[in-house]
Amino acid sequence: MRIHFHGHACFEIVGEAGRILIDPFLTGNPRATAKPGDFLQLDAILVTHGHNDHLGDAIYLSKQTEASIIAVYELAMYCQNQGAKTHAMHIGGKHQFPFGWVKLTQALHGSGIESSDGKTMIYGGPPCGFLLQMEGKWLYHAGDTGLFGDMELIGRRYPIEVAMLPIGDNYVMGVEEAVHASQLLRPKVVIPMHYDTFPVIAQDVGEFLHLLQRRVPESQGKALRPGEAFEV
Ligand code: NI
Ligand code: MN
């Protein structure tokens, strides 16, 4: 199974059973190395919340590929009303898809969807993170979130192979909190995300890797540049 990073919080996971895209913010992402036209076949599009840097091109991609958007009920309904195929779920629930298991976890954040004129905010339900099981391996994409203590519960209940954690601060966890999150989750590999895309979330990823190595030596830090991939 390969994990491709497409910048910000966008990851493409390709396994024998399928190809999925998480938080496809490609158009308007200054760090994206892929464009929506690069994805002609997808098995699912997972969206953690309604903010544009996550919902991104999801609706367009669902129409292009006929893949369903997997999201919390409120966000899924919004996407369905925009013409996308959807599979609604909610936090705490899991479902087996042909490509693997998906379970929704809590995230401490917002999930309002901005109207196209930018003047109103549409209710998108709560934000979430995703636990995925593909080829027998558990992956965790935390979504946009602050540090929360139940990450320890997630880590105790699921043997996480790879955790994708935000480190950008301001809107989400910062470097030190993401290291603490790694301590609670105990994944084999941590891929930092949601940093350097915009000036306000600029971070020293080297400091994150250094702190992780010192405080959580059992977890390996793996910083991917947009366009890079990691084999699990
Ligand atoms: Ni957000
Ligand atoms: Mn975000």
Side-chain angles (χ1 to χ4, degrees):
M1 172 166 57
R2 276 173 84 76
I3 299 177
H4 294 257
F5 182 48
H6 292 300
H8 202 53
C10 179
F11 290 87
E12 174 192 358
I13 298 164
V14 185
E16 273 171 31
R19 181 185 191 202
I20 66 165
L21 201 53
I22 307 173
D23 284 355
F25 172 46
L26 304 170
T27 304
N29 176 357
R31 307 258 297 155
T33 52
K35 50 190 188 305
D38 297 339
F39 301 93
L40 299 176
Q41 186 277 323
L42 286 170
D43 293 288
I45 302 158
L46 279 59
V47 181
T48 59
H49 64 293
H51 294 163
N52 189 51
D53 57 321
H54 299 262
L55 180 58
D57 299 296
I59 292 162
Y60 175 90
L61 284 167
S62 171
K63 291 176 184 170
Q64 176 169 271
T65 62
E66 292 186 2
S68 289
I69 292 174
I70 300 171
V72 298
Y73 178 78
E74 293 84 351
L75 180 55
M77 281 301 117
Y78 170 82
C79 295
Q80 193 173 302
N81 290 335
Q82 303 290 314
K85 279 182 71 178
T86 59
H87 181 110
M89 294 182 67
H90 234 298
I91 292 164
K94 65 178 183 303
H95 184 78
Q96 187 165 27
F97 294 90
F99 61 85
W101 285 94
V102 175
K103 185 180 174 71
L104 270 56
T105 59
Q106 68 163 335
L108 297 181
H109 196 63
S111 187
I113 306 155
E114 263 177 72
S115 60
S116 44
D117 64 6
K119 287 184 179 164
T120 45
M121 194 64 86
I122 300 158
Y123 179 64
C128 75
F130 291 109
L131 270 167
L132 305 169
Q133 196 207 45
M134 283 173 79
E135 298 175 9
K137 288 172 179 164
W138 286 97
L139 311 178
Y140 174 55
H141 185 294
D144 276 5
T145 187
L147 177 66
F148 56 89
D150 277 356
M151 284 179 175
E152 187 177 7
L153 185 61
I154 296 172
R156 219 185 287 149
R157 289 176 56 84
Y158 302 93
I160 301 169
E161 198 79 18
V162 179
M164 292 152 261
L165 303 180
I167 68 160
D169 223 331
N170 193 72
Y171 301 109
V172 293
M173 293 187 281
V175 163
E176 195 276 330
E177 287 147 330
V179 170
H180 194 109
S182 309
Q183 223 158 19
L184 301 178
L185 292 160
R186 298 179 297 172
K188 282 192 192 154
V189 175
V190 183
I191 302 176
M193 63 173 180
H194 211 279
Y195 67 97
D196 286 359
T197 320
F198 311 109
V200 74
I201 56 169
Q203 288 297 332
D204 182 352
V205 74
E207 189 197 335
F208 171 74
L209 297 174
H210 176 75
L211 211 56
L212 183 73
Q213 192 181 37
R214 222 180 47 183
R215 293 201 2 213
V216 198
E218 58 275 28
S219 293
Q220 182 204 344
K222 184 83 198 156
L224 297 178
R225 268 186 292 271
E228 279 189 335
F230 177 74
E231 194 78 35
V232 185

